[in-house]
Amino acid sequence: MSLENTISEAIKTAMREKDRIALDSLRAVKSQILLLQTEARGAEVSAEQEIAILQRMIKQRKDSAEQFTAQGRQDLAEVEEAQMKVIEKFLPKQLSAEELETEIKNIISETGAESIKDLGKVMGAASKALAGKSDGKSISEMAKKLLS
């Protein structure tokens, strides 16, 4: 089942349960998917594009929550964090720190990277291999740690 169909079913469930936060979050995800389909002139949205949409939406909500917290608006930050948790349910299982380290070590050995100068090469391969399983910031930090 595609992400769009899964989201549609989750929207129906959220409506039945009168879960306002989940409903708003899911409608936002569906909106982004439909927007991407419109831009692609009806072409099918790939799984990688769907994962990218979800990651972007989670990052937006995380940034918003941090800004609201910094401004003393904990009520708004809590809404953003709750929406983030709803959206995260549709991402593939995220790698733990140990799993991420193992994966990046493998990528470093495959690419033949030896120093921090090879970070770009490692990041390119890691971003493709670990898409959806970890965010770019975590990948970057781990790669820098292992290369230095």
Side-chain angles (χ1 to χ4, degrees):
M1 186 185 294
S2 74
L3 178 64
E4 183 180 5
N5 294 337
T6 307
I7 295 290
S8 295
E9 290 301 315
I11 287 174
K12 291 176 190 174
T13 303
M15 286 175 152
R16 280 188 222 111
E17 295 174 358
K18 295 181 176 31
D19 185 348
R20 194 82 198 133
I21 291 176
L23 188 58
D24 290 345
S25 304
L26 297 168
R27 283 181 173 162
V29 172
K30 185 162 184 172
S31 170
Q32 290 296 313
I33 292 171
L34 292 174
L35 182 64
L36 188 61
Q37 286 176 340
T38 303
E39 289 173 356
R41 305 217 190 283
E44 194 66 30
V45 177
S46 70
E48 293 82 24
Q49 291 173 313
E50 292 172 341
I51 289 171
I53 288 170
L54 294 174
Q55 286 180 322
R56 184 174 61 242
M57 293 183 79
I58 289 170
K59 185 177 185 311
Q60 288 171 344
R61 276 152 184 78
K62 188 181 290 185
D63 292 344
S64 295
E66 288 171 2
Q67 288 178 354
F68 288 139
T69 302
Q71 295 171 358
R73 294 297 309 265
Q74 196 58 37
D75 55 329
L76 296 175
E78 289 171 3
V79 171
E80 294 293 326
E81 289 167 359
Q83 286 185 355
M84 194 170 53
K85 288 178 183 167
V86 170
I87 296 169
E88 284 175 341
K89 293 177 186 174
F90 297 94
L91 277 176
K93 180 185 169 286
Q94 300 294 294
L95 295 175
S96 68
E98 296 81 27
E99 293 169 328
L100 179 62
E101 184 174 357
T102 303
E103 290 290 328
I104 293 181
K105 282 181 181 177
N106 292 338
I107 292 170
I108 288 172
S109 65
E110 288 172 12
T111 58
E114 297 174 358
S115 69
I116 197 75
K117 293 178 184 176
D118 300 318
L119 181 64
K121 192 176 1 175
V122 172
M123 282 301 297
S127 295
K128 288 178 186 168
L130 303 175
K133 297 177 184 173
S134 185
D135 63 284
K137 184 177 180 181
S138 300
I139 293 171
S140 174
E141 288 172 356
M142 185 63 70
K144 287 177 185 174
K145 176 182 152 194
L146 294 173
L147 288 172
S148 54

